[in-house]
Amino acid sequence: MESLKLVPLSEAATGDLFLIKKLHLEGTMRRRLLDLGFVPENTIRVLQKSPLGDPVAFHVSDTTIALRKEESSKILGELITDGTSK
């Protein structure tokens, strides 16, 4: 099986779907995100970026959460093409 290159969540564009594969976070932030649904094999939708580009709003497990680039760059996964992405 061919392995796909994992990209950080911070590289996803508005409207993209993102499949989580790995989290490179520790401590309280890791626990919080896991509790909110940022778990491997879960899907995230990128909702919108703030006017200055940071933070970005994401939809995961019926929750909307804004993450800074510092945190979202430590969440790795695959971009999913669903036909509605830009």
Side-chain angles (χ1 to χ4, degrees):
M1 182 173 154
E2 187 178 314
S3 64
L4 297 173
K5 182 183 175 209
L6 299 180
V7 295
L9 178 57
S10 58
E11 290 184 13
T14 301
D16 282 350
L17 285 177
F18 184 87
L19 181 65
I20 300 170
K21 292 295 183 178
K22 296 180 182 180
L23 280 82
H24 291 291
L25 295 160
E26 296 179 6
T28 305
M29 179 56 78
R30 180 180 177 87
R31 173 177 264 169
R32 256 187 215 148
L33 291 180
L34 289 171
D35 288 346
L36 289 170
F38 285 81
V39 295
E41 301 304 319
N42 208 355
T43 304
I44 298 171
R45 179 172 298 279
V46 183
L47 296 178
Q48 71 182 56
K49 295 185 178 190
S50 68
L52 297 176
D54 195 31
V56 177
F58 301 98
H59 185 261
V60 60
S61 300
D62 296 325
T63 301
T64 299
I65 182 171
L67 294 177
R68 294 180 186 205
K69 188 173 183 177
E70 179 183 340
E71 291 111 12
S72 62
S73 66
K74 295 178 182 179
I75 300 170
L76 302 178
E78 302 170 4
L79 290 173
I80 301 172
T81 303
D82 69 344
T84 61
S85 302
K86 295 181 183 178

Coordinates of all heavy atoms in Angstrom, one line a residue:
M1 N 0.8 -1.2 0.0 CA 0.0 0.0 0.0 C 0.9 1.2 0.0 O 1.8 1.4 0.8 CB -0.9 0.0 1.2 CG -1.8 1.1 1.3 SD -2.9 0.8 2.7 CE -3.3 2.5 3.1
E2 N 0.5 2.2 -0.8 CA 1.3 3.4 -1.0 C 0.9 4.4 0.1 O -0.2 4.7 0.3 CB 1.0 4.0 -2.4 CG 1.9 5.2 -2.7 CD 1.6 5.7 -4.1 OE1 1.5 4.9 -5.0 OE2 1.4 6.9 -4.2
S3 N 1.9 4.9 0.8 CA 1.6 5.9 1.9 C 1.5 7.3 1.3 O 2.3 7.7 0.5 CB 2.7 5.8 3.0 OG 3.9 6.2 2.5
L4 N 0.5 8.0 1.8 CA 0.3 9.4 1.4 C 1.1 10.3 2.3 O 1.3 10.0 3.4 CB -1.2 9.7 1.5 CG -2.1 8.9 0.6 CD1 -3.6 9.3 0.9 CD2 -1.8 9.2 -0.9
K5 N 1.5 11.4 1.7 CA 2.2 12.4 2.4 C 1.2 13.2 3.4 O 0.2 13.6 2.9 CB 2.9 13.4 1.5 CG 3.7 14.5 2.2 CD 4.2 15.5 1.3 CE 4.9 16.6 2.2 NZ 4.9 17.8 1.5
L6 N 1.6 13.2 4.6 CA 0.7 13.9 5.6 C 1.0 15.4 5.6 O 2.2 15.8 5.5 CB 0.9 13.3 7.0 CG 0.6 11.8 7.2 CD1 0.9 11.4 8.7 CD2 -0.8 11.5 6.8
V7 N 0.0 16.2 5.7 CA 0.1 17.6 5.7 C -0.5 18.2 7.0 O -1.4 17.6 7.6 CB -0.6 18.3 4.5 CG1 0.0 17.9 3.2 CG2 -2.1 18.0 4.5
P8 N 0.0 19.3 7.4 CA -0.5 19.9 8.6 C -1.9 20.5 8.4 O -2.1 21.0 7.2 CB 0.5 21.0 9.0 CG 1.3 21.2 7.8 CD 1.2 20.0 6.9
L9 N -2.7 20.5 9.3 CA -4.1 21.1 9.2 C -4.0 22.6 8.9 O -4.8 23.1 8.2 CB -4.8 20.9 10.6 CG -6.2 21.5 10.7 CD1 -7.1 21.0 9.6 CD2 -6.8 21.2 12.0
S10 N -2.9 23.2 9.3 CA -2.8 24.7 9.0 C -2.7 25.0 7.5 O -2.9 26.1 7.1 CB -1.5 25.2 9.7 OG -0.4 24.5 9.3
E11 N -2.4 23.9 6.6 CA -2.3 24.1 5.2 C -3.6 23.9 4.5 O -3.7 24.2 3.3 CB -1.3 23.2 4.6 CG 0.2 23.6 5.0 CD 1.2 22.7 4.3 OE1 0.9 22.0 3.3 OE2 2.4 22.7 4.7
A12 N -4.7 23.5 5.2 CA -6.0 23.3 4.6 C -6.6 24.7 4.3 O -6.5 25.6 5.1 CB -6.8 22.4 5.5
A13 N -7.4 24.7 3.2 CA -8.1 26.0 2.8 C -9.5 25.9 3.3 O -10.1 24.9 3.6 CB -8.0 26.1 1.3
T14 N -10.1 27.1 3.3 CA -11.5 27.2 3.7 C -12.4 26.3 2.8 O -12.2 26.2 1.6 CB -12.0 28.7 3.5 OG1 -11.2 29.5 4.4 CG2 -13.5 28.8 3.9
G15 N -13.2 25.5 3.4 CA -14.1 24.5 2.7 C -13.5 23.1 2.6 O -14.2 22.2 2.3
D16 N -12.2 23.0 2.9 CA -11.6 21.7 2.7 C -12.0 20.7 3.8 O -12.3 21.1 4.9 CB -10.0 21.8 2.8 CG -9.4 22.3 1.6 OD1 -10.1 22.3 0.5 OD2 -8.2 22.6 1.6
L17 N -12.0 19.4 3.5 CA -12.2 18.4 4.5 C -10.8 17.8 4.8 O -10.0 17.6 3.8 CB -13.1 17.3 4.0 CG -14.6 17.6 4.0 CD1 -15.4 16.4 3.4 CD2 -15.1 17.9 5.4
F18 N -10.6 17.4 6.0 CA -9.2 17.0 6.5 C -9.4 15.8 7.3 O -10.2 15.8 8.3 CB -8.6 18.1 7.2 CG -7.2 17.9 7.7 CD1 -6.1 18.2 6.9 CD2 -6.9 17.4 9.0 CE1 -4.8 18.0 7.3 CE2 -5.6 17.2 9.4 CZ -4.6 17.5 8.5
L19 N -8.7 14.7 7.0 CA -8.8 13.4 7.8 C -7.6 13.4 8.7 O -6.4 13.4 8.3 CB -8.8 12.2 6.9 CG -8.8 10.9 7.5 CD1 -10.2 10.7 8.3 CD2 -8.6 9.8 6.5
I20 N -7.8 13.4 10.0 CA -6.7 13.4 11.0 C -6.0 12.1 11.0 O -6.7 11.0 11.1 CB -7.3 13.7 12.4 CG1 -8.0 15.1 12.5 CG2 -6.2 13.7 13.5 CD1 -8.7 15.3 13.8
K21 N -4.7 12.1 11.0 CA -3.9 10.9 11.2 C -3.0 10.9 12.4 O -2.9 9.9 13.1 CB -3.0 10.7 9.9 CG -3.8 10.4 8.7 CD -4.5 9.1 8.8 CE -5.2 8.7 7.5 NZ -5.8 7.4 7.6
K22 N -2.4 12.1 12.7 CA -1.5 12.1 13.9 C -1.7 13.5 14.6 O -1.9 14.5 13.9 CB -0.1 12.0 13.5 CG 0.3 10.6 12.9 CD 1.8 10.6 12.5 CE 2.1 9.3 11.9 NZ 3.5 9.2 11.5
L23 N -1.5 13.5 15.9 CA -1.4 14.7 16.7 C 0.0 14.8 17.4 O 0.3 13.9 18.1 CB -2.5 14.8 17.8 CG -3.9 15.2 17.3 CD1 -4.6 14.0 16.7 CD2 -4.7 15.7 18.5
H24 N 0.7 15.9 17.1 CA 2.0 16.1 17.7 C 1.8 17.2 18.8 O 2.6 18.2 18.8 CB 3.0 16.5 16.7 CG 3.4 15.3 15.8 ND1 4.1 14.2 16.2 CD2 3.1 15.2 14.5 CE1 4.2 13.4 15.2 NE2 3.6 13.9 14.1
L25 N 0.9 17.0 19.7 CA 0.6 17.9 20.8 C 0.8 17.1 22.1 O 0.6 15.9 22.1 CB -0.8 18.5 20.7 CG -1.1 19.3 19.5 CD1 -2.6 19.4 19.3 CD2 -0.5 20.7 19.7
E26 N 1.1 17.9 23.1 CA 1.3 17.3 24.5 C 0.5 18.0 25.5 O 0.0 19.1 25.3 CB 2.7 17.2 24.8 CG 3.6 16.4 23.9 CD 5.1 16.4 24.3 OE1 5.4 17.0 25.3 OE2 5.9 15.9 23.5
G27 N 0.3 17.4 26.6 CA -0.3 18.0 27.8 C -1.7 18.4 27.7 O -2.5 17.7 27.1
T28 N -2.0 19.5 28.3 CA -3.4 20.0 28.4 C -4.0 20.2 27.0 O -5.2 19.9 26.8 CB -3.5 21.3 29.2 OG1 -2.9 21.1 30.4 CG2 -4.9 21.8 29.4
M29 N -3.3 20.8 26.1 CA -3.8 21.1 24.7 C -4.2 19.8 24.0 O -5.2 19.7 23.4 CB -2.8 21.9 23.9 CG -3.3 22.2 22.5 SD -4.9 23.0 22.4 CE -4.4 24.7 22.8
R30 N -3.3 18.8 24.1 CA -3.6 17.5 23.5 C -4.9 16.9 24.1 O -5.8 16.4 23.4 CB -2.5 16.5 23.7 CG -2.7 15.1 23.1 CD -1.6 14.2 23.3 NE -1.8 12.9 22.7 CZ -1.7 12.5 21.5 NH1 -1.1 13.4 20.6 NH2 -2.0 11.3 21.1
R31 N -5.0 16.9 25.4 CA -6.2 16.4 26.1 C -7.5 17.1 25.6 O -8.5 16.5 25.4 CB -6.0 16.4 27.6 CG -7.3 16.0 28.3 CD -7.1 16.0 29.8 NE -6.8 14.6 30.1 CZ -6.3 14.3 31.3 NH1 -6.1 15.2 32.2 NH2 -6.1 13.0 31.6
R32 N -7.4 18.4 25.6 CA -8.6 19.2 25.2 C -9.0 18.9 23.8 O -10.2 18.7 23.5 CB -8.2 20.7 25.3 CG -8.8 21.4 26.4 CD -8.6 22.9 26.4 NE -8.4 23.2 27.8 CZ -7.6 24.2 28.2 NH1 -7.0 25.0 27.4 NH2 -7.5 24.5 29.5
L33 N -8.1 18.9 22.9 CA -8.4 18.6 21.5 C -9.0 17.2 21.3 O -9.9 16.9 20.5 CB -7.2 18.9 20.6 CG -6.9 20.3 20.4 CD1 -5.7 20.5 19.5 CD2 -8.0 21.2 20.0
L34 N -8.4 16.2 22.0 CA -8.9 14.8 21.9 C -10.3 14.8 22.4 O -11.2 14.2 21.8 CB -8.0 13.9 22.7 CG -6.7 13.6 22.1 CD1 -5.8 12.8 23.1 CD2 -6.8 12.8 20.8
D35 N -10.6 15.5 23.5 CA -12.0 15.5 24.1 C -13.0 16.2 23.1 O -14.2 15.8 23.1 CB -12.0 16.3 25.4 CG -11.3 15.5 26.6 OD1 -11.1 14.3 26.4 OD2 -11.0 16.2 27.6
L36 N -12.5 17.1 22.3 CA -13.4 17.8 21.4 C -13.6 17.0 20.1 O -14.4 17.4 19.2 CB -12.8 19.2 21.1 CG -12.9 20.2 22.2 CD1 -12.1 21.5 21.9 CD2 -14.4 20.6 22.5
G37 N -12.8 16.0 19.9 CA -13.0 15.1 18.7 C -11.9 15.1 17.7 O -12.0 14.6 16.6
F38 N -10.8 15.8 18.1 CA -9.6 15.8 17.2 C -8.8 14.5 17.4 O -7.8 14.5 18.0 CB -8.7 17.0 17.5 CG -9.2 18.3 17.0 CD1 -10.2 19.0 17.7 CD2 -8.7 18.8 15.8 CE1 -10.7 20.2 17.2 CE2 -9.2 20.0 15.3 CZ -10.2 20.7 16.0
V39 N -9.4 13.4 17.0 CA -8.9 12.1 17.2 C -8.5 11.5 15.8 O -9.2 11.8 14.8 CB -9.8 11.1 17.9 CG1 -10.0 11.6 19.4 CG2 -11.1 11.0 17.2
P40 N -7.5 10.6 15.7 CA -7.2 10.0 14.4 C -8.4 9.3 13.8 O -9.2 8.7 14.4 CB -6.1 9.0 14.8 CG -5.5 9.6 16.0 CD -6.6 10.2 16.8
E41 N -8.5 9.5 12.5 CA -9.5 9.0 11.6 C -10.8 9.8 11.6 O -11.8 9.5 11.0 CB -9.8 7.5 11.8 CG -8.6 6.6 11.6 CD -8.0 6.8 10.2 OE1 -8.7 6.9 9.2 OE2 -6.7 6.8 10.2
N42 N -10.8 10.9 12.4 CA -12.0 11.8 12.4 C -11.8 12.9 11.3 O -10.7 13.2 11.0 CB -12.2 12.5 13.8 CG -13.6 12.8 14.0 OD1 -14.5 12.7 13.2 ND2 -13.9 13.3 15.2
T43 N -12.9 13.4 10.8 CA -12.8 14.4 9.7 C -13.1 15.8 10.3 O -14.0 15.9 11.1 CB -13.9 14.0 8.6 OG1 -13.6 12.7 8.2 CG2 -13.8 15.0 7.5
I44 N -12.4 16.7 9.7 CA -12.5 18.1 10.1 C -12.9 18.9 8.9 O -12.3 18.7 7.8 CB -11.2 18.7 10.7 CG1 -10.8 18.0 11.9 CG2 -11.3 20.2 10.9 CD1 -9.4 18.4 12.4
R45 N -13.8 19.9 9.0 CA -14.0 20.8 7.9 C -13.5 22.2 8.3 O -13.7 22.7 9.4 CB -15.5 21.0 7.6 CG -15.7 22.0 6.4 CD -17.1 22.1 5.9 NE -17.6 20.8 5.4 CZ -17.4 20.4 4.1 NH1 -16.6 21.1 3.3 NH2 -17.9 19.3 3.7
V46 N -12.8 22.8 7.4 CA -12.2 24.2 7.6 C -13.4 25.2 7.3 O -13.8 25.2 6.2 CB -11.0 24.5 6.7 CG1 -10.4 25.8 7.0 CG2 -9.9 23.4 6.9
L47 N -13.8 25.9 8.3 CA -14.9 26.8 8.1 C -14.5 28.2 7.6 O -15.0 28.6 6.6 CB -15.7 27.0 9.5 CG -16.3 25.7 10.0 CD1 -17.0 26.0 11.3 CD2 -17.3 25.2 9.0
Q48 N -13.7 28.9 8.3 CA -13.3 30.2 7.9 C -12.0 30.7 8.6 O -11.8 30.3 9.7 CB -14.4 31.2 8.0 CG -14.7 31.6 9.5 CD -15.9 32.6 9.5 OE1 -16.9 32.3 9.0 NE2 -15.6 33.7 10.2
K49 N -11.3 31.6 8.0 CA -10.2 32.2 8.6 C -10.5 33.6 9.1 O -11.4 34.2 8.5 CB -9.0 32.3 7.5 CG -8.5 31.0 7.1 CD -7.3 31.1 6.2 CE -6.9 29.7 5.8 NZ -5.6 29.7 5.1
S50 N -9.9 34.0 10.1 CA -10.1 35.4 10.6 C -9.5 36.3 9.6 O -8.8 36.0 8.7 CB -9.4 35.5 12.0 OG -8.0 35.5 11.8
P51 N -9.9 37.6 9.7 CA -9.5 38.6 8.7 C -7.9 38.7 8.6 O -7.4 38.9 7.5 CB -10.0 39.9 9.3 CG -11.2 39.5 10.0 CD -10.9 38.2 10.6
L52 N -7.2 38.4 9.6 CA -5.7 38.4 9.5 C -5.1 37.0 9.3 O -3.9 36.8 9.2 CB -5.1 39.0 10.8 CG -5.5 40.5 11.0 CD1 -4.9 41.0 12.4 CD2 -5.0 41.4 9.9
G53 N -6.0 36.0 9.1 CA -5.6 34.7 8.8 C -5.3 33.7 10.0 O -5.0 32.6 9.8
D54 N -5.3 34.3 11.2 CA -5.0 33.4 12.4 C -5.8 34.0 13.5 O -5.7 35.2 13.8 CB -3.5 33.5 12.6 CG -3.1 32.4 13.6 OD1 -3.7 31.3 13.6 OD2 -2.1 32.6 14.3
P55 N -6.7 33.3 14.2 CA -6.9 31.8 14.1 C -7.9 31.5 13.0 O -8.4 32.3 12.3 CB -7.5 31.5 15.4 CG -8.3 32.7 15.8 CD -7.4 33.9 15.3
V56 N -8.1 30.1 12.8 CA -9.0 29.6 11.8 C -10.1 28.8 12.5 O -9.8 28.1 13.5 CB -8.2 28.7 10.8 CG1 -9.1 28.0 9.8 CG2 -7.1 29.5 10.1
A57 N -11.3 28.8 12.1 CA -12.4 28.1 12.6 C -12.5 26.7 11.9 O -12.5 26.7 10.7 CB -13.7 28.9 12.5
F58 N -12.7 25.7 12.7 CA -12.8 24.3 12.2 C -14.1 23.7 12.8 O -14.5 24.0 13.9 CB -11.7 23.5 12.7 CG -10.3 24.0 12.2 CD1 -9.5 24.7 13.0 CD2 -9.9 23.7 10.9 CE1 -8.3 25.2 12.6 CE2 -8.7 24.2 10.5 CZ -7.9 24.9 11.3
H59 N -14.7 22.8 12.0 CA -15.9 22.1 12.5 C -15.5 20.6 12.7 O -15.0 20.0 11.7 CB -17.0 22.2 11.5 CG -18.3 21.5 12.0 ND1 -18.7 20.3 11.7 CD2 -19.2 22.0 12.9 CE1 -19.8 20.0 12.3 NE2 -20.2 21.0 13.0
V60 N -15.6 20.1 13.9 CA -15.3 18.7 14.2 C -16.3 18.1 15.2 O -16.6 18.8 16.2 CB -13.8 18.5 14.7 CG1 -13.6 19.3 15.9 CG2 -13.4 17.1 14.9
S61 N -16.9 17.0 14.9 CA -17.8 16.3 15.9 C -18.8 17.3 16.5 O -19.0 17.4 17.7 CB -17.0 15.7 17.0 OG -16.1 14.7 16.5
D62 N -19.6 17.9 15.6 CA -20.6 18.9 16.0 C -20.2 20.0 16.9 O -20.9 20.6 17.7 CB -21.8 18.1 16.7 CG -22.5 17.1 15.8 OD1 -22.6 17.4 14.6 OD2 -22.9 16.0 16.3
T63 N -18.9 20.3 16.8 CA -18.3 21.4 17.5 C -17.6 22.4 16.6 O -16.9 21.9 15.7 CB -17.3 20.9 18.6 OG1 -18.0 20.0 19.5 CG2 -16.7 22.0 19.4
T64 N -17.6 23.7 16.8 CA -16.8 24.6 16.1 C -15.8 25.1 17.1 O -16.1 25.5 18.2 CB -17.7 25.8 15.6 OG1 -18.7 25.2 14.7 CG2 -16.8 26.8 14.8
I65 N -14.5 25.1 16.6 CA -13.4 25.6 17.4 C -12.4 26.4 16.6 O -12.2 26.0 15.4 CB -12.7 24.4 18.1 CG1 -11.6 24.9 19.1 CG2 -12.2 23.4 17.1 CD1 -11.0 23.8 19.9
A66 N -11.9 27.4 17.2 CA -10.9 28.2 16.5 C -9.5 27.8 17.0 O -9.3 27.7 18.3 CB -11.1 29.7 16.7
L67 N -8.6 27.5 16.1 CA -7.2 27.2 16.5 C -6.2 28.1 15.9 O -6.4 28.5 14.7 CB -6.9 25.8 16.1 CG -7.6 24.6 16.7 CD1 -7.1 23.3 16.1 CD2 -7.4 24.6 18.2
R68 N -5.2 28.4 16.6 CA -4.1 29.2 16.0 C -3.2 28.3 15.1 O -3.2 27.1 15.3 CB -3.3 29.9 17.1 CG -4.0 30.8 17.9 CD -3.2 31.5 19.0 NE -4.1 32.3 19.8 CZ -3.6 33.3 20.5 NH1 -2.4 33.6 20.5 NH2 -4.5 34.0 21.2
K69 N -2.5 29.0 14.2 CA -1.6 28.2 13.3 C -0.6 27.4 14.1 O -0.3 26.3 13.7 CB -0.9 29.2 12.4 CG -0.1 28.4 11.3 CD 0.4 29.4 10.3 CE 1.1 28.7 9.2 NZ 1.6 29.6 8.2
E70 N -0.2 27.9 15.3 CA 0.8 27.2 16.1 C 0.2 25.8 16.5 O 1.0 24.8 16.5 CB 1.0 28.0 17.4 CG 2.0 27.3 18.3 CD 2.2 28.2 19.6 OE1 1.9 29.4 19.6 OE2 2.6 27.6 20.6
E71 N -1.1 25.7 16.8 CA -1.7 24.4 17.2 C -2.0 23.6 16.0 O -1.8 22.4 15.9 CB -2.9 24.6 18.1 CG -2.6 25.2 19.5 CD -3.1 26.6 19.6 OE1 -3.9 27.1 18.8 OE2 -2.7 27.2 20.7
S72 N -2.7 24.2 15.0 CA -3.1 23.4 13.8 C -2.0 22.9 13.0 O -2.2 21.9 12.3 CB -4.1 24.3 13.0 OG -3.4 25.4 12.4
S73 N -0.8 23.5 13.1 CA 0.3 22.9 12.4 C 0.9 21.6 13.0 O 1.6 20.9 12.3 CB 1.5 24.0 12.3 OG 2.0 24.2 13.6
K74 N 0.4 21.3 14.2 CA 0.8 20.1 14.8 C -0.2 18.9 14.7 O 0.0 17.9 15.3 CB 1.1 20.4 16.3 CG 2.3 21.3 16.5 CD 2.5 21.6 17.9 CE 3.6 22.7 18.1 NZ 3.9 23.0 19.5
I75 N -1.2 19.2 13.9 CA -2.2 18.1 13.6 C -2.0 17.7 12.2 O -2.1 18.5 11.2 CB -3.6 18.7 13.8 CG1 -3.8 19.1 15.3 CG2 -4.7 17.6 13.4 CD1 -5.1 19.9 15.5
L76 N -1.6 16.5 11.9 CA -1.3 16.0 10.6 C -2.3 15.1 10.1 O -3.0 14.3 10.8 CB 0.1 15.3 10.6 CG 1.3 16.1 11.1 CD1 2.5 15.2 11.2 CD2 1.5 17.3 10.3
G77 N -2.5 15.1 8.8 CA -3.5 14.3 8.1 C -3.5 14.4 6.6 O -2.5 14.8 6.0
E78 N -4.6 14.0 6.0 CA -4.8 14.0 4.6 C -5.9 15.0 4.2 O -7.0 15.0 4.9 CB -5.1 12.6 4.1 CG -4.1 11.6 4.4 CD -4.6 10.2 4.2 OE1 -5.7 10.0 3.6 OE2 -3.9 9.3 4.5
L79 N -5.7 15.7 3.1 CA -6.8 16.5 2.5 C -7.7 15.6 1.8 O -7.3 14.7 1.0 CB -6.3 17.6 1.7 CG -5.6 18.7 2.4 CD1 -4.9 19.7 1.4 CD2 -6.5 19.5 3.3
I80 N -9.0 15.7 1.9 CA -10.0 14.9 1.3 C -10.8 15.8 0.2 O -11.2 16.8 0.6 CB -11.1 14.4 2.3 CG1 -10.4 13.5 3.3 CG2 -12.1 13.5 1.5 CD1 -11.3 13.1 4.5
T81 N -10.8 15.3 -1.0 CA -11.6 16.0 -2.0 C -13.0 15.5 -2.0 O -13.3 14.3 -2.1 CB -11.0 15.7 -3.4 OG1 -9.6 16.0 -3.4 CG2 -11.7 16.5 -4.5
D82 N -13.9 16.5 -1.8 CA -15.3 16.1 -1.7 C -16.2 16.8 -2.8 O -17.4 16.7 -2.8 CB -15.9 16.5 -0.3 CG -16.0 18.0 -0.1 OD1 -15.4 18.7 -0.8 OD2 -16.7 18.4 0.9
G83 N -15.5 17.5 -3.7 CA -16.2 18.2 -4.8 C -16.7 19.6 -4.5 O -17.0 20.3 -5.4
T84 N -16.7 20.0 -3.2 CA -17.1 21.3 -2.9 C -15.9 22.2 -2.5 O -16.1 23.4 -2.2 CB -18.1 21.3 -1.7 OG1 -17.5 20.8 -0.6 CG2 -19.4 20.6 -2.1
S85 N -14.7 21.6 -2.3 CA -13.5 22.3 -1.9 C -13.1 23.3 -3.0 O -13.3 23.0 -4.2 CB -12.4 21.4 -1.6 OG -12.8 20.5 -0.6
K86 N -12.5 24.4 -2.6 CA -11.9 25.3 -3.6 C -10.6 24.9 -4.1 O -9.8 24.3 -3.4 CB -11.8 26.7 -3.0 CG -13.2 27.2 -2.6 CD -13.0 28.6 -2.0 CE -14.3 29.1 -1.5 NZ -14.3 30.4 -0.9

